[in-house]
Amino acid sequence: MSLIEIEKHEVEEERHEPVRIRGLPFFPHFLLREVVVMCLIAGSLILMASLYPAGLLQPADPFNTPTPIYPEWYFLYVFGFLKFWTWNIGPIEAKVIGVTLPMVLWYGLLFLVPFIDRNPSSDIRKRKFAVAMGVIALLGILYFTYFSIVHH
Amino acid sequence: MKLEDKIFKWFDDRFKLKELLTPIIKHPAPEYAVTNPLYCLGGIAFLCFLILVGTGVFLAMYYKPTPLEAYKSVENIMIAVPMGSLIRSLHHWAANTMIAAVMLHMMRIYFMGAYKKPRELNWVVGVTLLLITTTFGFSGYLLPWDQLSFWATKIGTGIAGSIPIIGEYISLILMGGTDIGAETMTRFFAIHVMILPITIAILLLMHFAMVRIQGISGRL
């Protein structure tokens, strides 16, 4: 019995062997590339900070609404979708849908991506559906960002 | 024996540094991850995080989180404090770059299918990190207490407040009342400089530990 078990084990080990990939040691190869990129980014950030300093407008005045008010650029799509969606569905108000869809549903879907996409292949040609969904989501975000700027 | 070797040996005798460091230093990184610049995006986000911690600690030394003092203290940072303008602008630029880098990093992971088994949970932690990064941006936006920060926060809390069922509580917890005021400021300040940094540090550790254990996913 034990002999058979040992044999099985050896066969399994052999099968796992070719999965290994060629690699370069973390130090210095990987780290060197990382440090070069980090220096470039840090330099660019200092350059941008000196050329375009962070702004400071008038002090906050709760009784005087300025126009236009823009949220941070990464929230514009939520803002845009809220303006885009003007249809009530049954008893649910349009405003509630306009807020819930881009925040709750969108992030919920993002969290669940690995559990929805059960396709084991990581070859881009064999994941047409996932790639198409990704491109649609991306275009949607871009469109609603654009929408929020135009329809201000 | 050179001085640095002596120092290294002193620590090595006591903490077994060689045993600890060798697997990290020798750990192989896949060749495509070293040559393809798309694999830099996560690292860029992390660099931005480090810059944000550094500049943020500096800003916290001069900033006063009350409606009466906040604007004046930021103005003081911009005008009077040596290098204050540069540090605050660097904080601003690093924050925006970090969000862009996190988003692009997520797009790379998505389109390369790198979230698949066994990396499902690392994707979930990653999406949480994106959520925390944008919450950082949202809470930091109010702190200068200028017209834009006040009114953008008013709209933002209004939007969060109209989520069904939980929205009411979210806006109450965020604002500490029914309107944006002194309570909101101290809450946003506490969220921005204490709650979120601790949370993001823990999640980053988990994120990196999982990459280390599972390795970098390969092949486009």
Side-chain angles (χ1 to χ4, degrees):
Chain A
M1 275 301 281
S2 66
L3 190 75
I4 296 168
E5 269 180 19
I6 289 165
E7 265 182 358
K8 247 193 202 166
H9 189 68
E10 275 175 357
V11 169
E12 253 174 48
E13 251 184 356
E14 262 178 355
R15 218 191 305 137
H16 280 294
E17 204 85 46
V19 181
R20 258 200 234 153
I21 24 164
R22 227 145 59 91
L24 299 166
F26 177 80
F27 180 87
H29 295 83
F30 190 76
L31 203 65
L32 178 68
R33 201 259 337 234
E34 210 73 347
V35 167
V36 169
V37 171
M38 285 189 167
C39 288
L40 284 174
I41 296 293
S44 324
L45 285 176
I46 292 170
L47 184 72
M48 293 310 275
S50 9
L51 289 180
Y52 305 99
L56 190 62
L57 303 176
Q58 294 298 307
D61 180 358
F63 304 106
N64 173 23
T65 315
T67 50
I69 316 161
Y70 283 113
E72 297 262 55
W73 57 270
Y74 39 86
F75 290 127
L76 282 174
Y77 77 96
V78 181
F79 213 48
F81 188 81
L82 185 61
K83 289 219 167 120
F84 170 82
W85 191 275
T86 50
W87 307 283
N88 299 333
I89 298 180
I92 311 165
E93 270 180 84
K95 192 187 160 198
V96 173
I97 299 169
V99 169
T100 314
L101 239 50
M103 287 182 82
V104 181
L105 195 72
W106 165 236
Y107 268 100
L109 277 178
L110 267 188
F111 273 115
L112 293 178
V113 158
F115 308 103
I116 297 170
D117 178 15
R118 307 300 299 169
N119 175 3
S121 172
S122 60
D123 184 347
I124 204 159
R125 283 157 296 188
K126 288 179 189 157
R127 328 175 33 231
K128 292 203 173 77
F129 181 71
V131 170
M133 291 309 280
V135 170
I136 289 170
L138 210 59
L139 290 177
I141 296 260
L142 286 177
Y143 175 74
F144 291 122
T145 303
Y146 168 79
F147 194 88
S148 78
I149 296 168
V150 174
H151 295 265
H152 210 282
Chain B
M1 201 183 213
K2 273 189 277 180
L3 182 64
E4 57 255 41
D5 293 334
K6 269 185 192 161
I7 294 170
F8 182 82
K9 198 180 170 304
W10 193 90
F11 280 100
D12 195 30
D13 287 345
R14 280 150 188 87
F15 300 107
K16 294 182 182 161
L17 281 186
K18 230 177 223 147
E19 231 171 88
L20 219 72
L21 289 175
T22 312
I24 296 175
I25 289 172
K26 292 268 153 63
H27 188 75
E31 206 179 329
Y32 50 80
V34 179
T35 49
N36 187 341
L38 282 176
Y39 286 81
C40 284
L41 290 163
I44 290 171
F46 184 59
L47 171 73
C48 289
F49 171 73
L50 294 179
I51 293 174
L52 285 165
V53 171
T55 52
V57 167
F58 175 89
L59 291 172
M61 287 179 188
Y62 289 90
Y63 177 73
K64 301 181 180 76
T66 65
L68 279 177
E69 294 283 336
Y71 185 84
K72 273 185 239 161
S73 66
V74 175
E75 211 173 32
N76 182 49
I77 289 170
M78 293 304 281
I79 295 165
V81 176
M83 307 279 272
S85 161
L86 179 69
I87 297 285
R88 178 165 174 259
S89 306
L90 202 52
H91 197 75
H92 169 89
W93 277 101
N96 284 291
T97 310
M98 180 170 174
I99 290 180
V102 170
M103 285 175 174
L104 291 172
H105 176 61
M106 192 173 85
M107 275 154 62
R108 173 183 82 75
I109 302 295
Y110 183 85
F111 287 111
M112 287 187 174
Y115 52 80
K116 294 182 178 191
K117 192 190 168 190
R119 300 184 178 80
E120 297 99 324
L121 285 183
N122 216 1
W123 168 271
V124 173
V125 170
V127 177
T128 317
L129 281 168
L130 171 70
L131 208 59
I132 288 175
T133 314
T134 51
T135 314
F136 255 121
F138 179 67
S139 57
Y141 211 45
L142 177 71
L143 299 180
W145 203 248
D146 67 1
Q147 274 291 66
L148 191 62
S149 43
F150 183 88
W151 289 97
T153 307
K154 194 146 184 113
I155 292 171
T157 49
I159 286 181
S162 44
I163 297 173
I165 308 162
I166 51 168
E168 215 178 301
Y169 301 102
I170 292 179
S171 91
L172 187 67
I173 290 167
L174 280 179
M175 293 203 283
T178 48
D179 213 350
I180 296 169
E183 302 294 323
T184 322
M185 276 218 100
T186 43
R187 271 170 201 233
F188 273 49
F189 187 62
I191 291 171
H192 193 78
V193 307
M194 296 164 106
I195 298 171
L196 291 179
I198 292 169
T199 320
I200 204 171
I202 294 169
L203 286 170
L204 280 176
L205 271 179
M206 287 166 66
H207 204 58
F208 297 156
M210 279 195 258
V211 173
R212 185 62 222 281
I213 294 166
Q214 301 175 328
I216 298 170
S217 165
R219 301 174 302 275
L220 181 64

